Amino acid sequence: MLKTLYIVRHCKAVAQEPNAPLTSEGHFQAIALADLLFSCGIERVISSPFMRAYQSIAPLAERLSLSIEIDNRLTERVLCATPLDDWRERLAESFTNLDLYLDGGESSRDAMARGIAVIDEVLQQEASTIAIVTHGNLMALILKHFDDLIGYAEWEKLSNPDVYRVEFLKGAIHVERMICA
């Protein structure tokens, strides 16, 4: 059976905290995102609990008369509990060393595992077309699970919003970027 997932990175937000809302531009992006995905046959919407993710998909869910299911496993990955001056270098390293663990953070392998746990559950359920809304680093790690060539460079190219279509058919997996803002 064909299953299609739309992995969505949230629209532009005012900050990175869990309760940070979308910017005014982000709200317009959310409407454009709904326009893009409206005719894709989406049957379920699952989102990170962070406000920016929820607000990004709310216009689509409303148009489709779907509720937004919240899944805490879709929150952004924390690289380190304290700010790092060299955070980009450490993030790049975390794509090649999946077990890199920084103080108070989460390894890429652990973050990928929680994201993929959501995907695995969805693939076992009845709906065949699902939108999953998350954050840039976790999105890149989920995609890396399906295509090991995805790494820091691809994360760096992600936009707000961004959408990848991941299709599962008879054991084959096809990953395709749909948009970048």
Side-chain angles (χ1 to χ4, degrees):
M1 173 189 251
L2 174 67
K3 293 267 188 176
T4 303
L5 305 182
Y6 293 91
I7 311 293
V8 179
R9 182 186 192 191
H10 62 81
C11 301
K12 289 186 182 176
V14 299
Q16 296 299 308
E17 292 79 29
N19 62 349
L22 295 180
T23 63
S24 57
E25 180 183 2
H27 284 287
F28 286 114
Q29 291 172 336
I31 292 166
L33 185 64
D35 291 341
L36 174 76
L37 297 175
F38 180 73
S39 63
C40 292
I42 292 170
E43 303 163 77
R44 285 180 71 193
V45 176
I46 305 169
S47 176
S48 158
F50 287 13
M51 184 181 293
R52 61 188 178 271
Y54 187 91
Q55 287 181 335
S56 294
I57 205 65
L60 176 67
E62 184 175 317
R63 279 194 204 174
L64 295 174
S65 298
L66 295 172
S67 62
I68 300 173
E69 302 169 41
I70 299 299
D71 195 314
N72 291 330
R73 295 172 295 181
L74 295 172
T75 59
E76 182 60 289
R77 177 247 190 131
V78 174
L79 181 64
C80 185
T82 57
L84 300 170
D85 291 335
D86 65 343
W87 72 270
R88 283 186 172 271
E89 292 83 5
R90 301 309 302 263
L91 182 61
E93 184 182 353
S94 78
F95 276 97
T96 55
N97 176 2
L98 297 181
D99 294 312
L100 176 68
Y101 174 82
L102 302 176
D103 188 39
E106 182 179 29
S107 73
S108 290
R109 188 174 313 281
D110 288 345
M112 185 187 297
R114 71 177 160 83
I116 293 303
V118 175
I119 305 294
D120 287 345
E121 285 177 16
V122 164
L123 293 176
Q124 300 305 313
Q125 296 168 354
E126 188 174 317
S128 61
T129 308
I130 302 101
I132 296 176
V133 188
T134 189
H135 306 269
N137 191 198
L138 186 61
M139 178 182 194
L141 291 169
I142 289 169
L143 295 170
K144 182 174 184 59
H145 175 81
F146 299 114
D147 180 352
D148 194 49
L149 297 177
I150 292 175
Y152 178 78
E154 289 70 26
W155 167 83
E156 211 169 25
K157 292 176 188 171
L158 289 176
S159 59
N160 294 93
D162 215 325
V163 179
Y164 276 77
R165 179 176 35 235
V166 183
E167 294 178 319
F168 301 82
L169 179 60
K170 298 179 183 176
I173 301 170
H174 177 73
V175 178
E176 174 186 16
R177 189 176 192 187
M178 287 185 62
I179 67 157
C180 51

